Amino acid sequence: MMDTKNRPFGAMLTAMVTPMLENGDIDYEGAARLATYLVDEQRNDGLIVSGTTGESPTTSDAEKDRLLRTIVEAVGDRARVVAGVGTNDTGHSIELAKAAESAGAHGLLTVTPYYNKPPQEGLIRHFTAIADATGLPVMLYDIPGRTGVPIASETLVRLAEHPRIVANKDAKDDLGASSWVMERTDLAYYCGSDMLNLPLLSVGASGFVSVVGHIVGADLHDLIDAYEAGEVTQALAIHRRLTPVYTGMFRTQGVITTKAILNLFGLPAGPVRAPLTDASVELQTLLREDLAAAGVKGPIGLAPHQAVPASAIPVERLTEGSV
């Protein structure tokens, strides 16, 4: 697992879904099994727990705490476990940050406050207060398409002066702005838009915080390794092979498609919580086609149509297959 100054959380991370039972309760055993698969088979250096892909808007603080402790126990000795603690309430975010530190998290992910649209000075105060609340390193999360407010480049430069604000999950999709900030700070940039993984890597990103990493994390790690070895043609070939996966998993909200694919492969996922809706039969058909176009197979070599229930696959089998 990589551990250099500009990779405080490793190179390859997946924003992990929160597996759920059919009654809507969190499947904690399934979460441990999925985390084990993502780290030991999909070569993830780290996992984001209770990010948006983990359905954090609809999980309680108590559920977040138990889920985080479950993941730390399952893989915390082999991967960085980063807790999503960002909300649009600074006080609540601080409470979640302190709880995450107590639960054994290795870092914090703090999204831009959403809906209430604070000014840039408000963002600085918000992120600084969270970073001051614990001893954990902080990864900012800049995704204006969801939050309604970008973290301005100048604001990122100011925030980078804080000793515990060490990284940025960049989903702004502005390579010029990202390059400008990376030239002026030591912030580790993690691509948060899978289609731009290779382009952002080419201008200085440290790694990825991926959704498609649930399915092709090992391939993405190969892409990073190839690029850093100077094998740019090979990195581009991996990128192009995975394009159908990038496209397919963002046909609709990423939690919906990710859980659909994991369910197809017999991996722990279960349903989504309202107001999200589970993938339709039509969407599942399209996702199968996307995976086939990229040559993707699931654990123990299964194609999507051959999937078996996750409960039928022992944990040790989940770490034997390849994607």
Side-chain angles (χ1 to χ4, degrees), residues 31-59:
R33 290 159 61 84
L34 180 60
T36 298
Y37 173 73
L38 292 175
V39 171
D40 294 345
E41 174 60 28
Q42 290 296 342
R43 295 181 62 204
N44 278 279
D45 301 319
L47 299 174
I48 306 292
V49 179
S50 292
T52 311
T53 308
E55 297 181 76
S56 58
T58 53
T59 58

PDB file of all heavy atoms in Angstrom, residues 31-59:
ATOM      1  N   ALA A  31     -21.323  -5.607   5.019  1.00  0.00           N
ATOM      2  CA  ALA A  31     -20.382  -4.498   4.866  1.00  0.00           C
ATOM      3  C   ALA A  31     -18.953  -4.966   5.116  1.00  0.00           C
ATOM      4  O   ALA A  31     -18.018  -4.575   4.393  1.00  0.00           O
ATOM      5  CB  ALA A  31     -20.753  -3.364   5.817  1.00  0.00           C
ATOM      6  N   ALA A  32     -18.761  -5.787   6.124  1.00  0.00           N
ATOM      7  CA  ALA A  32     -17.426  -6.314   6.406  1.00  0.00           C
ATOM      8  C   ALA A  32     -16.943  -7.199   5.260  1.00  0.00           C
ATOM      9  O   ALA A  32     -15.767  -7.141   4.860  1.00  0.00           O
ATOM     10  CB  ALA A  32     -17.442  -7.101   7.711  1.00  0.00           C
ATOM     11  N   ARG A  33     -17.834  -8.005   4.704  1.00  0.00           N
ATOM     12  CA  ARG A  33     -17.478  -8.877   3.592  1.00  0.00           C
ATOM     13  C   ARG A  33     -17.129  -8.065   2.342  1.00  0.00           C
ATOM     14  O   ARG A  33     -16.161  -8.367   1.639  1.00  0.00           O
ATOM     15  CB  ARG A  33     -18.639  -9.844   3.297  1.00  0.00           C
ATOM     16  CG  ARG A  33     -18.829 -10.900   4.373  1.00  0.00           C
ATOM     17  CD  ARG A  33     -20.236 -11.490   4.342  1.00  0.00           C
ATOM     18  NE  ARG A  33     -20.549 -12.156   3.089  1.00  0.00           N
ATOM     19  CZ  ARG A  33     -20.234 -13.411   2.789  1.00  0.00           C
ATOM     20  NH1 ARG A  33     -19.556 -14.134   3.662  1.00  0.00           N
ATOM     21  NH2 ARG A  33     -20.588 -13.943   1.642  1.00  0.00           N
ATOM     22  N   LEU A  34     -17.918  -7.047   2.069  1.00  0.00           N
ATOM     23  CA  LEU A  34     -17.648  -6.209   0.903  1.00  0.00           C
ATOM     24  C   LEU A  34     -16.331  -5.459   1.067  1.00  0.00           C
ATOM     25  O   LEU A  34     -15.527  -5.368   0.127  1.00  0.00           O
ATOM     26  CB  LEU A  34     -18.800  -5.230   0.671  1.00  0.00           C
ATOM     27  CG  LEU A  34     -18.639  -4.291  -0.530  1.00  0.00           C
ATOM     28  CD1 LEU A  34     -18.518  -5.080  -1.833  1.00  0.00           C
ATOM     29  CD2 LEU A  34     -19.808  -3.310  -0.604  1.00  0.00           C
ATOM     30  N   ALA A  35     -16.101  -4.904   2.245  1.00  0.00           N
ATOM     31  CA  ALA A  35     -14.841  -4.192   2.484  1.00  0.00           C
ATOM     32  C   ALA A  35     -13.651  -5.113   2.286  1.00  0.00           C
ATOM     33  O   ALA A  35     -12.630  -4.727   1.700  1.00  0.00           O
ATOM     34  CB  ALA A  35     -14.843  -3.601   3.891  1.00  0.00           C
ATOM     35  N   THR A  36     -13.771  -6.341   2.778  1.00  0.00           N
ATOM     36  CA  THR A  36     -12.699  -7.318   2.610  1.00  0.00           C
ATOM     37  C   THR A  36     -12.435  -7.581   1.138  1.00  0.00           C
ATOM     38  O   THR A  36     -11.274  -7.630   0.689  1.00  0.00           O
ATOM     39  CB  THR A  36     -13.079  -8.633   3.323  1.00  0.00           C
ATOM     40  OG1 THR A  36     -13.222  -8.381   4.718  1.00  0.00           O
ATOM     41  CG2 THR A  36     -12.012  -9.699   3.118  1.00  0.00           C
ATOM     42  N   TYR A  37     -13.485  -7.726   0.360  1.00  0.00           N
ATOM     43  CA  TYR A  37     -13.346  -7.951  -1.079  1.00  0.00           C
ATOM     44  C   TYR A  37     -12.678  -6.751  -1.764  1.00  0.00           C
ATOM     45  O   TYR A  37     -11.778  -6.916  -2.592  1.00  0.00           O
ATOM     46  CB  TYR A  37     -14.720  -8.204  -1.690  1.00  0.00           C
ATOM     47  CG  TYR A  37     -14.711  -8.285  -3.197  1.00  0.00           C
ATOM     48  CD1 TYR A  37     -14.173  -9.389  -3.851  1.00  0.00           C
ATOM     49  CD2 TYR A  37     -15.230  -7.247  -3.965  1.00  0.00           C
ATOM     50  CE1 TYR A  37     -14.152  -9.460  -5.236  1.00  0.00           C
ATOM     51  CE2 TYR A  37     -15.216  -7.316  -5.350  1.00  0.00           C
ATOM     52  CZ  TYR A  37     -14.681  -8.422  -5.980  1.00  0.00           C
ATOM     53  OH  TYR A  37     -14.655  -8.480  -7.348  1.00  0.00           O
ATOM     54  N   LEU A  38     -13.112  -5.550  -1.408  1.00  0.00           N
ATOM     55  CA  LEU A  38     -12.576  -4.352  -2.054  1.00  0.00           C
ATOM     56  C   LEU A  38     -11.092  -4.162  -1.758  1.00  0.00           C
ATOM     57  O   LEU A  38     -10.334  -3.714  -2.618  1.00  0.00           O
ATOM     58  CB  LEU A  38     -13.367  -3.120  -1.608  1.00  0.00           C
ATOM     59  CG  LEU A  38     -14.815  -3.053  -2.088  1.00  0.00           C
ATOM     60  CD1 LEU A  38     -15.522  -1.850  -1.485  1.00  0.00           C
ATOM     61  CD2 LEU A  38     -14.892  -3.006  -3.606  1.00  0.00           C
ATOM     62  N   VAL A  39     -10.669  -4.498  -0.562  1.00  0.00           N
ATOM     63  CA  VAL A  39      -9.265  -4.305  -0.190  1.00  0.00           C
ATOM     64  C   VAL A  39      -8.407  -5.469  -0.674  1.00  0.00           C
ATOM     65  O   VAL A  39      -7.367  -5.271  -1.317  1.00  0.00           O
ATOM     66  CB  VAL A  39      -9.142  -4.127   1.335  1.00  0.00           C
ATOM     67  CG1 VAL A  39      -7.675  -4.145   1.766  1.00  0.00           C
ATOM     68  CG2 VAL A  39      -9.800  -2.819   1.761  1.00  0.00           C
ATOM     69  N   ASP A  40      -8.834  -6.688  -0.396  1.00  0.00           N
ATOM     70  CA  ASP A  40      -7.980  -7.845  -0.663  1.00  0.00           C
ATOM     71  C   ASP A  40      -8.029  -8.297  -2.126  1.00  0.00           C
ATOM     72  O   ASP A  40      -7.044  -8.839  -2.632  1.00  0.00           O
ATOM     73  CB  ASP A  40      -8.375  -9.010   0.237  1.00  0.00           C
ATOM     74  CG  ASP A  40      -8.101  -8.713   1.705  1.00  0.00           C
ATOM     75  OD1 ASP A  40      -7.370  -7.747   1.989  1.00  0.00           O
ATOM     76  OD2 ASP A  40      -8.621  -9.448   2.566  1.00  0.00           O
ATOM     77  N   GLU A  41      -9.146  -8.074  -2.804  1.00  0.00           N
ATOM     78  CA  GLU A  41      -9.249  -8.495  -4.202  1.00  0.00           C
ATOM     79  C   GLU A  41      -9.126  -7.323  -5.164  1.00  0.00           C
ATOM     80  O   GLU A  41      -8.432  -7.415  -6.180  1.00  0.00           O
ATOM     81  CB  GLU A  41     -10.577  -9.218  -4.438  1.00  0.00           C
ATOM     82  CG  GLU A  41     -10.848  -9.573  -5.880  1.00  0.00           C
ATOM     83  CD  GLU A  41      -9.786 -10.500  -6.462  1.00  0.00           C
ATOM     84  OE1 GLU A  41      -9.165 -11.270  -5.691  1.00  0.00           O
ATOM     85  OE2 GLU A  41      -9.546 -10.432  -7.679  1.00  0.00           O
ATOM     86  N   GLN A  42      -9.800  -6.221  -4.868  1.00  0.00           N
ATOM     87  CA  GLN A  42      -9.801  -5.079  -5.786  1.00  0.00           C
ATOM     88  C   GLN A  42      -8.660  -4.099  -5.528  1.00  0.00           C
ATOM     89  O   GLN A  42      -8.614  -3.039  -6.135  1.00  0.00           O
ATOM     90  CB  GLN A  42     -11.147  -4.355  -5.724  1.00  0.00           C
ATOM     91  CG  GLN A  42     -12.297  -5.146  -6.319  1.00  0.00           C
ATOM     92  CD  GLN A  42     -12.125  -5.387  -7.812  1.00  0.00           C
ATOM     93  OE1 GLN A  42     -11.351  -4.717  -8.483  1.00  0.00           O
ATOM     94  NE2 GLN A  42     -12.857  -6.352  -8.339  1.00  0.00           N
ATOM     95  N   ARG A  43      -7.753  -4.421  -4.635  1.00  0.00           N
ATOM     96  CA  ARG A  43      -6.500  -3.687  -4.429  1.00  0.00           C
ATOM     97  C   ARG A  43      -6.721  -2.235  -4.001  1.00  0.00           C
ATOM     98  O   ARG A  43      -5.915  -1.361  -4.306  1.00  0.00           O
ATOM     99  CB  ARG A  43      -5.632  -3.708  -5.692  1.00  0.00           C
ATOM    100  CG  ARG A  43      -5.134  -5.095  -6.081  1.00  0.00           C
ATOM    101  CD  ARG A  43      -4.263  -5.010  -7.317  1.00  0.00           C
ATOM    102  NE  ARG A  43      -3.069  -4.200  -7.074  1.00  0.00           N
ATOM    103  CZ  ARG A  43      -2.390  -3.578  -8.040  1.00  0.00           C
ATOM    104  NH1 ARG A  43      -2.823  -3.623  -9.288  1.00  0.00           N
ATOM    105  NH2 ARG A  43      -1.319  -2.870  -7.742  1.00  0.00           N
ATOM    106  N   ASN A  44      -7.793  -1.981  -3.266  1.00  0.00           N
ATOM    107  CA  ASN A  44      -8.000  -0.625  -2.773  1.00  0.00           C
ATOM    108  C   ASN A  44      -7.058  -0.331  -1.616  1.00  0.00           C
ATOM    109  O   ASN A  44      -6.949  -1.115  -0.669  1.00  0.00           O
ATOM    110  CB  ASN A  44      -9.455  -0.454  -2.320  1.00  0.00           C
ATOM    111  CG  ASN A  44     -10.382  -0.174  -3.476  1.00  0.00           C
ATOM    112  OD1 ASN A  44     -10.478   0.955  -3.943  1.00  0.00           O
ATOM    113  ND2 ASN A  44     -11.061  -1.210  -3.954  1.00  0.00           N
ATOM    114  N   ASP A  45      -6.386   0.806  -1.697  1.00  0.00           N
ATOM    115  CA  ASP A  45      -5.537   1.265  -0.601  1.00  0.00           C
ATOM    116  C   ASP A  45      -6.363   1.851   0.530  1.00  0.00           C
ATOM    117  O   ASP A  45      -5.877   1.979   1.653  1.00  0.00           O
ATOM    118  CB  ASP A  45      -4.567   2.350  -1.093  1.00  0.00           C
ATOM    119  CG  ASP A  45      -3.670   1.864  -2.210  1.00  0.00           C
ATOM    120  OD1 ASP A  45      -3.198   0.717  -2.123  1.00  0.00           O
ATOM    121  OD2 ASP A  45      -3.446   2.633  -3.161  1.00  0.00           O
ATOM    122  N   GLY A  46      -7.586   2.256   0.206  1.00  0.00           N
ATOM    123  CA  GLY A  46      -8.441   2.869   1.222  1.00  0.00           C
ATOM    124  C   GLY A  46      -9.896   2.787   0.819  1.00  0.00           C
ATOM    125  O   GLY A  46     -10.234   2.516  -0.333  1.00  0.00           O
ATOM    126  N   LEU A  47     -10.760   3.014   1.794  1.00  0.00           N
ATOM    127  CA  LEU A  47     -12.199   3.029   1.572  1.00  0.00           C
ATOM    128  C   LEU A  47     -12.796   4.276   2.204  1.00  0.00           C
ATOM    129  O   LEU A  47     -12.399   4.663   3.312  1.00  0.00           O
ATOM    130  CB  LEU A  47     -12.867   1.796   2.189  1.00  0.00           C
ATOM    131  CG  LEU A  47     -12.423   0.433   1.660  1.00  0.00           C
ATOM    132  CD1 LEU A  47     -13.077  -0.682   2.476  1.00  0.00           C
ATOM    133  CD2 LEU A  47     -12.746   0.284   0.179  1.00  0.00           C
ATOM    134  N   ILE A  48     -13.724   4.892   1.491  1.00  0.00           N
ATOM    135  CA  ILE A  48     -14.514   5.976   2.057  1.00  0.00           C
ATOM    136  C   ILE A  48     -15.795   5.359   2.598  1.00  0.00           C
ATOM    137  O   ILE A  48     -16.529   4.685   1.866  1.00  0.00           O
ATOM    138  CB  ILE A  48     -14.867   7.039   0.999  1.00  0.00           C
ATOM    139  CG1 ILE A  48     -13.607   7.558   0.300  1.00  0.00           C
ATOM    140  CG2 ILE A  48     -15.662   8.170   1.649  1.00  0.00           C
ATOM    141  CD1 ILE A  48     -12.678   8.370   1.163  1.00  0.00           C
ATOM    142  N   VAL A  49     -16.060   5.562   3.862  1.00  0.00           N
ATOM    143  CA  VAL A  49     -17.256   5.015   4.511  1.00  0.00           C
ATOM    144  C   VAL A  49     -18.200   6.168   4.825  1.00  0.00           C
ATOM    145  O   VAL A  49     -17.784   7.204   5.332  1.00  0.00           O
ATOM    146  CB  VAL A  49     -16.877   4.261   5.798  1.00  0.00           C
ATOM    147  CG1 VAL A  49     -18.120   3.702   6.499  1.00  0.00           C
ATOM    148  CG2 VAL A  49     -15.901   3.129   5.490  1.00  0.00           C
ATOM    149  N   SER A  50     -19.474   5.982   4.494  1.00  0.00           N
ATOM    150  CA  SER A  50     -20.501   7.000   4.746  1.00  0.00           C
ATOM    151  C   SER A  50     -20.265   8.273   3.940  1.00  0.00           C
ATOM    152  O   SER A  50     -20.513   9.381   4.428  1.00  0.00           O
ATOM    153  CB  SER A  50     -20.627   7.323   6.246  1.00  0.00           C
ATOM    154  OG  SER A  50     -21.153   6.209   6.939  1.00  0.00           O
ATOM    155  N   GLY A  51     -19.799   8.099   2.709  1.00  0.00           N
ATOM    156  CA  GLY A  51     -19.886   9.197   1.761  1.00  0.00           C
ATOM    157  C   GLY A  51     -21.269   9.172   1.132  1.00  0.00           C
ATOM    158  O   GLY A  51     -22.152   8.413   1.543  1.00  0.00           O
ATOM    159  N   THR A  52     -21.459   9.998   0.107  1.00  0.00           N
ATOM    160  CA  THR A  52     -22.764   9.996  -0.555  1.00  0.00           C
ATOM    161  C   THR A  52     -23.063   8.635  -1.172  1.00  0.00           C
ATOM    162  O   THR A  52     -24.205   8.159  -1.129  1.00  0.00           O
ATOM    163  CB  THR A  52     -22.811  11.073  -1.650  1.00  0.00           C
ATOM    164  OG1 THR A  52     -22.343  12.308  -1.115  1.00  0.00           O
ATOM    165  CG2 THR A  52     -24.226  11.265  -2.156  1.00  0.00           C
ATOM    166  N   THR A  53     -22.031   7.975  -1.719  1.00  0.00           N
ATOM    167  CA  THR A  53     -22.236   6.642  -2.278  1.00  0.00           C
ATOM    168  C   THR A  53     -22.606   5.643  -1.191  1.00  0.00           C
ATOM    169  O   THR A  53     -23.192   4.602  -1.478  1.00  0.00           O
ATOM    170  CB  THR A  53     -20.980   6.187  -3.035  1.00  0.00           C
ATOM    171  OG1 THR A  53     -20.611   7.193  -3.979  1.00  0.00           O
ATOM    172  CG2 THR A  53     -21.210   4.893  -3.782  1.00  0.00           C
ATOM    173  N   GLY A  54     -22.273   5.948   0.045  1.00  0.00           N
ATOM    174  CA  GLY A  54     -22.682   5.130   1.178  1.00  0.00           C
ATOM    175  C   GLY A  54     -24.038   5.510   1.733  1.00  0.00           C
ATOM    176  O   GLY A  54     -24.419   5.050   2.806  1.00  0.00           O
ATOM    177  N   GLU A  55     -24.772   6.356   0.988  1.00  0.00           N
ATOM    178  CA  GLU A  55     -26.121   6.797   1.366  1.00  0.00           C
ATOM    179  C   GLU A  55     -26.137   7.532   2.719  1.00  0.00           C
ATOM    180  O   GLU A  55     -27.077   7.425   3.496  1.00  0.00           O
ATOM    181  CB  GLU A  55     -27.098   5.624   1.360  1.00  0.00           C
ATOM    182  CG  GLU A  55     -27.267   5.010  -0.022  1.00  0.00           C
ATOM    183  CD  GLU A  55     -28.235   3.856  -0.081  1.00  0.00           C
ATOM    184  OE1 GLU A  55     -29.464   4.092  -0.055  1.00  0.00           O
ATOM    185  OE2 GLU A  55     -27.750   2.696  -0.146  1.00  0.00           O
ATOM    186  N   SER A  56     -25.103   8.321   2.938  1.00  0.00           N
ATOM    187  CA  SER A  56     -25.005   9.050   4.203  1.00  0.00           C
ATOM    188  C   SER A  56     -26.185   9.980   4.481  1.00  0.00           C
ATOM    189  O   SER A  56     -26.520  10.190   5.656  1.00  0.00           O
ATOM    190  CB  SER A  56     -23.709   9.860   4.250  1.00  0.00           C
ATOM    191  OG  SER A  56     -23.635  10.771   3.170  1.00  0.00           O
ATOM    192  N   PRO A  57     -26.859  10.554   3.463  1.00  0.00           N
ATOM    193  CA  PRO A  57     -28.000  11.413   3.784  1.00  0.00           C
ATOM    194  C   PRO A  57     -29.138  10.683   4.481  1.00  0.00           C
ATOM    195  O   PRO A  57     -29.972  11.323   5.130  1.00  0.00           O
ATOM    196  CB  PRO A  57     -28.451  11.943   2.413  1.00  0.00           C
ATOM    197  CG  PRO A  57     -27.224  11.892   1.570  1.00  0.00           C
ATOM    198  CD  PRO A  57     -26.528  10.637   2.014  1.00  0.00           C
ATOM    199  N   THR A  58     -29.186   9.346   4.359  1.00  0.00           N
ATOM    200  CA  THR A  58     -30.316   8.615   4.931  1.00  0.00           C
ATOM    201  C   THR A  58     -29.903   7.585   5.968  1.00  0.00           C
ATOM    202  O   THR A  58     -30.680   6.701   6.327  1.00  0.00           O
ATOM    203  CB  THR A  58     -31.135   7.921   3.820  1.00  0.00           C
ATOM    204  OG1 THR A  58     -30.267   7.131   3.008  1.00  0.00           O
ATOM    205  CG2 THR A  58     -31.847   8.948   2.958  1.00  0.00           C
ATOM    206  N   THR A  59     -28.674   7.685   6.474  1.00  0.00           N
ATOM    207  CA  THR A  59     -28.261   6.837   7.591  1.00  0.00           C
ATOM    208  C   THR A  59     -28.092   7.699   8.833  1.00  0.00           C
ATOM    209  O   THR A  59     -27.656   8.847   8.758  1.00  0.00           O
ATOM    210  CB  THR A  59     -26.943   6.094   7.293  1.00  0.00           C
ATOM    211  OG1 THR A  59     -25.916   7.044   6.989  1.00  0.00           O
ATOM    212  CG2 THR A  59     -27.112   5.147   6.127  1.00  0.00           C
TER     213      THR A  59
END
